[in-house]
Each structure stands twice: as structure tokens, then as C-alpha cells.
């Protein structure tokens, strides 16, 4: 049986934060044989009880060690995440895995005041009010400020987030994105992970307009991606379930009925655009949400591992 060991056993603050990888995912056989079945299983899986370990449905995903996470990320020139605060938490959780640090792995602890060390520790790293600006948004920031904290071999991993949520995309944000992806085909492929929805009250058309602008901007910069048979890995995550702390004024436009309809609709429309889809509603409906909107560190680590499983199954040799 794979993944029956606590991969967090050697992480910083493992005992203080009191999180085991076995608390997050209950492994079983068989493993999903391909990417399509993996995405379906991860999107439709769930938990047997509140905050119980998550299980995909029908076939299992892997729970990778940090060394495996590093190897998977090293297959890509860049892993580019685009989206909102939920996606900021996904890259934060991947940083936790890369830095082997449950206490401060997602945040810029190298410049923390004593107060911030208290306010942004363990689960509080994803507090959108107190700790949002302290998030790590790109690998190069860790390399510059705390290179020894990255467990991956030097220079092998490059992951970042572009926080673009508005449509039309402001010129400054578009310019930054274009500079990031450049105009030439990289030696190794880029992988793109998108996330959108709550910022615009789950307005499907607004999300599609946003996604279409990013896709058009990308192919304008990198025309090779438009050629038939080109390898262009793209994934969109839809928002997780709402919790009981969700403010009442948002229950119609952003409540669980609206979230489920949005997830189902985005899957269809993204597929028409060649973008794969990962739903997170089922995974999160019985997970802890500290503000009724965002899942906690444990839930975000599951999201991050779901993305890692997608990345692992990409056929990078087609680049």
C-alpha cells in the first residue's frame, strides 16, 4: 500500500502544529491509471466524517514526499499559478512542502517581527486578514532571502503566482504576465494552473471572459502553443465549499448551491477550451474553514497535493 508513512515526520514544527500527512489523506488501492480518471476521482472524492482524511473516489492519488514534489516540479521550466486568494493558498501549501516547514513554510518568516511569528504560525499562515501580504508568491523570493530553507536542489524549481482576478485584466498586470512567460519556447514546458470565481460572485461569464483573455494573451506571446498537437498543460480549480461562518449576505451568490453549479459549469466550458478541471467542493465540504470561505492549512495541503498529482501525470516528453 503506497503512502502509509507520515511524510511530514521530518518537517519543522511537525509536533507543534500537530499535523500528519495521514490525517489528510487515507491511501487505498488502486491508484488512478491516467490523468482523466485522476481528476474525476479527486473532484468527486470526499471524507467519512468532519475533517476526516480525504479520499478520492474510485481510485487513489499519491501523497508525495518532498523529494518527489521537487522532482515533479523540476520537470517544468515554470509552474505558473494565476488567480485569487484561494490560489495564493495553493502556492503557499506547495511552499510548505518544498521547505518542509508546517509552521512558516508558506510565509516570509525571514523578515517576521515577533508579533507576526505569533499571528502567522501553523494554521494561521492562511489568515487572509493578518497574513495575506506575508505569503511567498515566487520561488525566487525564497532563493534570495532564505535559500537554505528549500529542500529541492538549487535551481531546479520555479513556481510563482500572478494575482490577476479582474476582467478586463489591467495593463500593469497583463504586462507583468507577458514578461513572465516571455516570447520564446522554453527548454522545458510551462504548466499553468488557474483559479477564479468568488471575487466576481461566481459569475460564469465573467470567469470565462477572464480565462479567455489569459489564454489569448498566452498564445499571442507564445505562438507555438497554438500549433496542432502542441503541449500546453492547463488546469483550472474551482472554489472550495462554503462553511458555516460564511456571512449570510453571501449565501445566495456564493453559497454551496451556487458553488456546485459553478463548478459543474466551469468543467464543461473549460473543457471546450482545452483546459482541464479540478473541482474542490467535494473535498472540502466536510473540512475546516476558519472564515467560512478559505479552508485551513490541512485543506490547502490536500489541494496542493491534488495539483501535484496532476503535474505528475503530464506527458512532459511531448514538449
Amino acid at each position: 500500500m503506497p503512502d502509509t508513512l507520515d511524510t511530514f515526520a521530518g518537517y519543522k514544527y511537525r509536533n507543534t502544529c500537530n499535523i500528519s500527512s495521514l490525517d489528510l489523506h487515507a491511501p487505498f488501492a488502486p491508484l488512478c491509471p491516467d490523468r482523466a480518471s485522476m481528476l474525476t476521482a479527486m473532484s468527486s472524492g470526499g471524507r467519512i466524517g468532519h475533517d476526516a482524511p480525504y479520499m478520492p473516489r474510485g481510485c487513489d492519488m499519491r501523497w508525495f514526499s518532498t523529494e518527489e514534489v521537487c522532482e515533479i516540479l523540476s520537470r517544468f521550466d515554470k509552474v505558473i499559478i494565476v488567480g485569487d486568494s484561494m490560489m495564493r493558498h495553493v502556492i503557499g501549501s506547495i511552499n510548505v512542502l518544498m521547505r518542509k516547514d508546517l509552521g512558516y513554510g508558506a510565509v516570509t518568516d525571514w523578515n517576521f517581527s515577533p508579533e507576526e511569528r505569533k499571528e502567522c504560525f501553523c494554521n494561521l499562515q492562511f489568515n487572509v486578514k493578518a497574513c495575506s501580504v506575508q505569503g511567498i508568491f515566487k520561488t525566487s523570493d525564497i532563493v534570495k532571502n532564505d535559500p537554505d530553507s528549500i529542500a529541492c536542489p538549487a535551481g531546479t524549481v520555479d513556481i510563482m503566482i500572478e494575482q490577476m482576478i479582474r476582467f478586463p485584466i489591467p495593463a500593469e498586470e497583463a504586462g507583468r504576465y507577458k514578461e513572465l512567460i516571455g516570447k520564446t519556447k522554453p527548454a522545458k514546458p510551462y504548466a499553468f494552473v488557474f483559479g477564479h470565481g468568488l471575487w466576481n460572485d461566481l459569475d460564469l461569464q465573467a470567469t470565462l471572459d477572464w480565462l479567455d483573455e489569459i489564454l489569448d494573451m498566452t498564445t499571442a506571446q507564445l505562438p507555438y502553443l497554438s500549433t496542432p498537437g502542441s503541449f500546453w498543460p492547463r488546469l483550472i480549480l474551482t472554489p472550495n465549499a462554503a462553511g458555516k461562518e460564511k456571512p449570510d449576505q453571501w449565501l445566495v451568490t456564493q453559497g454551496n448551491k451556487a458553488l456546485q453549479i459553478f463548478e459543474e459549469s466551469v468543467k464543461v466550458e473549460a473543457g471546450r477550451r482545452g483546459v482541464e478541471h479540478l473541482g474542490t467542493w467535494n473535498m472540502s465540504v466536510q473540512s475546516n474553514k476558519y472564515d467560512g470561505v478559505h479552508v485551513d492549512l490541512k485543506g490547502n495541503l490536500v489541494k496542493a497535493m491534488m495539483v501535484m498529482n496532476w503535474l505528475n501525470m503530464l506527458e512532459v516528453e511531448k514538449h
Side-chain angles (χ1 to χ4, degrees), residues 81-88 162-169 173 193-212 214 235-240 259 262-263 266 277-278 280 303:
I81 297 175
V82 183
D84 54 14
S85 59
M86 286 191 174
M87 301 309 293
R88 193 169 68 231
E162 285 296 327
Q163 295 185 86
M164 300 192 295
I165 54 177
R166 290 176 286 176
F167 175 82
I169 295 173
E173 295 177 5
V193 184
F194 308 112
H196 201 255
L198 288 182
W199 193 82
N200 60 338
D201 283 346
L202 304 177
D203 182 328
L204 177 64
Q205 191 57 53
T207 290
L208 296 177
D209 289 343
W210 171 86
L211 180 61
D212 286 339
I214 294 173
L235 178 71
I236 188 167
L237 274 65
T238 38
N240 54 249
L259 284 161
F262 182 78
E263 180 168 288
V266 168
H277 169 258
L278 173 61
T280 66
K303 280 190 189 182

Side-chain angles (χ1 to χ4, degrees), residues 1-5 22 25-31 60-63:
M1 180 73 72
D3 309 325
T4 54
L5 299 176
L22 300 177
H25 167 244
F28 67 96
L31 292 171
D60 201 10
M61 67 180 198
R62 284 290 320 283
W63 191 276

Side-chain angles (χ1 to χ4, degrees), residues 113-126:
S113 66
E115 184 178 354
E116 287 172 315
R117 294 192 71 82
K118 293 179 182 178
E119 290 182 346
C120 303
F121 182 56
C122 288
N123 206 34
L124 297 176
Q125 294 175 86
F126 296 132

